[in-house]
Amino acid sequence: MSGPVGWLRARAGVRVVSALSAAVVVAVSLVMAGAALVFLVGQSLHGSVESGAEQRAHLIVGRLEGNFRGTTNENAREALDALATPDDLAQVVVRYGTDPGETETWVTEAGTDAVGRDTLMSGLLPAPGQSIVVPQTAITRADGSTVQAVLVASGAESDGRNVVLLLAVPLTGVKDATDTLVFYLLWGVPLLILVAGLATYLFAGRALRPVEAIRRQVAAMNEKDLEQRVPVPIARDEVGRLAETMNAMIARLQDAQGVQRRFVADASHELRSPLATIATGLELMQKGVSDPSTVTALRGETQRLNRLVEALILLARADERGLQPRREEVDLDEVAEAERGRPAEGSVVAEVRTEPVRVVGDRGQLARVVRNLVDNARRHARSRVVVTVRRDGPSAVIEVADDGPGVPAADRARVFERFVRLDDARARADGGSGLGLAIVSEVVAAHGGTVTVEEGPNGGALFRVRLPAAAQPDERPARKPPAAIGARPVQAALGPGKPTPRPRVPMRDEDARRDPGTNPGGIPVVPIQPGSTIR
């Protein structure tokens, strides 16, 4: 998160940011609500004062029109004395000079003590029956002070003359009420903001208690405590899902640690046997007690150790960053045909049935896949091992079948794990290292394929590998290579009717260049001991 909020969160924490955010929201809301309240209260009070002024003016005008004293000036004084107080701001102006030949003049005949008669409050002189209301204007009192007031000017007739009542009602009460309201808001709003921020801070801390419990639990754990789990709150909210996700991650770490420990233990155990044999043979040779059988045994153990180390290195590289095979076109049928002539040393000879099919991948790694599957089948077959390579739509399929005991359905997924031996009664010399099928699974996955095992047609195991097949010649887009000066077309050089040879161009990517070169033959051909196996 960028901006001021992100900067503040990075330095103050979630609780402080939440409290400040709540305080800001409450402050904005209260300020807007307070301003609206002051405005509405002021308008309401002002309307009340204006309505009251109109009503009082109507009463005084009615008194003037009643002619209780007979003359206009006396009527004016009597009306103000009866209906106005000395503090009221009221004046009665009478019109004279209405007869022909007379000069028209307006004379203030009556006025309250607060405003007097010397200075006219307003120049508004409405006709009889009319009334003019000024919502707010400045009125000068008799003592020279000025006050804001609502002015009502009403015209009437008294004793045959036009009179005008000027009545001003001060807005002092409205101002005092709004000032009091603003005073309380100025003290109450900050207090409410503080309460809201403090409450949010406390509630946020309470809401984050499960997160803190998770943090403490994880901080106290080490590599020996992966069987522990963080507490999961009762509420199925974001914190609960976080705890469940954390427990799932710890479970995955525990599983990975278990796999790593088993791998190290099994690898150490596998390496111990050939190393012990080599050490014993060297001691015999040092004592001068040696014969050709000792040298043969040491050579066999050395080859076994070499194969095991090479397999461990390949699997370690796969765990580190995944296998990154070279990208070149490989004739999969040629790779399988190589198994036809590979020495079996008394074991079952593999039958190879192929049809031309190409894939894009690493020839050496694909040869290792076929060899591991064939060696595994030979060690378990009674009399027959069949290797089939065919094309199935967009896929190239390798099938290796035997007539041995097969793989139980419950173990068909586990058989591709590392150091897995299905027959615990066999010795390690018969059970192999348990890495051959694991290597097959890793290499096939690196080539974008799949490997499965099922019951074979002869009752044994059938291992099936599916790989993306390369495009056939008629599926490739036509591409005209640039012709060199003076060069003849290839077809012309070969003669009419001869097929044009298709060059095998390696397709190498940046990741493949980082891997060391792979021997096209995979693991060097070594004599296979009758008692060893890969499964």
Side-chain angles (χ1 to χ4, degrees), residues 159-311:
D159 191 25
R161 296 183 182 276
N162 294 346
V163 297
V164 174
L165 170 66
L166 299 177
L167 177 64
V169 178
L171 294 174
T172 307
V174 176
K175 182 177 182 303
D176 293 341
T178 54
D179 290 345
T180 302
L181 180 61
V182 170
F183 173 80
Y184 284 117
L185 288 176
L186 290 177
W187 282 96
V189 168
L191 181 60
L192 291 177
I193 294 174
L194 181 62
V195 171
L198 182 60
T200 304
Y201 182 83
L202 296 177
F203 287 136
R206 187 176 184 84
L208 291 175
R209 283 182 185 176
V211 179
E212 178 62 20
I214 294 173
R215 187 201 65 80
R216 287 198 302 267
Q217 179 72 18
V218 175
M221 294 172 60
N222 53 37
E223 68 278 2
K224 298 179 181 179
D225 300 326
L226 293 181
E227 70 279 357
Q228 299 181 7
R229 295 295 182 266
V230 300
V232 179
I234 300 177
R236 316 308 298 173
D237 54 3
E238 291 80 0
V239 178
R241 292 193 293 271
L242 172 64
E244 293 175 352
T245 303
M246 185 68 68
N247 285 335
M249 183 190 68
I250 295 175
R252 290 194 297 270
L253 290 176
Q254 184 181 11
D255 294 340
Q257 185 187 62
V259 171
Q260 182 182 16
R261 287 179 176 177
R262 288 193 300 271
F263 183 82
V264 172
D266 292 338
S268 301
H269 194 79
E270 293 293 337
L271 292 173
R272 186 183 305 165
S273 178
L275 289 176
T277 303
I278 293 173
T280 302
L282 291 177
E283 290 179 0
L284 293 176
M285 294 179 67
Q286 185 178 9
K287 295 177 180 180
V289 182
S290 63
D291 52 20
S293 62
T294 303
V295 176
T296 303
L298 292 178
R299 183 180 293 110
E301 293 297 327
T302 303
Q303 293 172 349
R304 177 185 174 189
L305 184 62
N306 180 53
R307 292 194 301 271
L308 182 59
V309 170
E310 185 176 354

Side-chain angles (χ1 to χ4, degrees), residues 127-167:
Q130 293 183 351
S131 181
I132 300 176
V133 179
V134 179
Q136 184 172 352
T137 185
I139 302 297
T140 303
R141 290 193 177 99
D143 58 2
S145 62
T146 303
V147 63
Q148 295 293 324
V150 175
L151 177 64
V152 179
S154 298
E157 286 189 1
S158 178
D159 191 25
R161 296 183 182 276
N162 294 346
V163 297
V164 174
L165 170 66
L166 299 177
L167 177 64

Side-chain angles (χ1 to χ4, degrees), residues 17 29 40 152 164 194 293 320 342 470 508 526 535:
V17 172
S29 302
L40 293 176
V152 179
V164 174
L194 181 62
S293 62
E320 179 183 1
R342 189 160 64 93
R508 299 168 59 83
V526 296
R535 184 182 300 172

Side-chain angles (χ1 to χ4, degrees), residues 40 43 68 138 156 167 174 218 296 316 344-345 381 385 413 419 442 459 490 501:
L40 293 176
Q43 291 295 317
F68 291 99
L167 177 64
V174 176
V218 175
T296 303
E345 292 195 2
V385 173
F419 297 108
E442 293 285 352
V490 177

Side-chain angles (χ1 to χ4, degrees), residues 21-82:
S21 301
V24 170
V25 172
V26 171
V28 173
S29 302
L30 289 180
V31 168
M32 295 178 62
L37 179 62
V38 171
F39 175 78
L40 293 176
V41 168
Q43 291 295 317
S44 177
L45 294 177
H46 191 280
S48 299
V49 172
E50 186 175 328
S51 175
E54 291 179 353
Q55 292 177 2
R56 292 181 63 189
H58 180 70
L59 292 176
I60 297 174
V61 167
R63 189 83 175 184
L64 288 172
E65 292 178 345
N67 294 321
F68 291 99
R69 293 295 177 90
T71 60
T72 303
N73 54 356
E74 292 295 332
N75 287 334
R77 295 185 184 94
E78 189 274 338
L80 291 183
D81 291 340

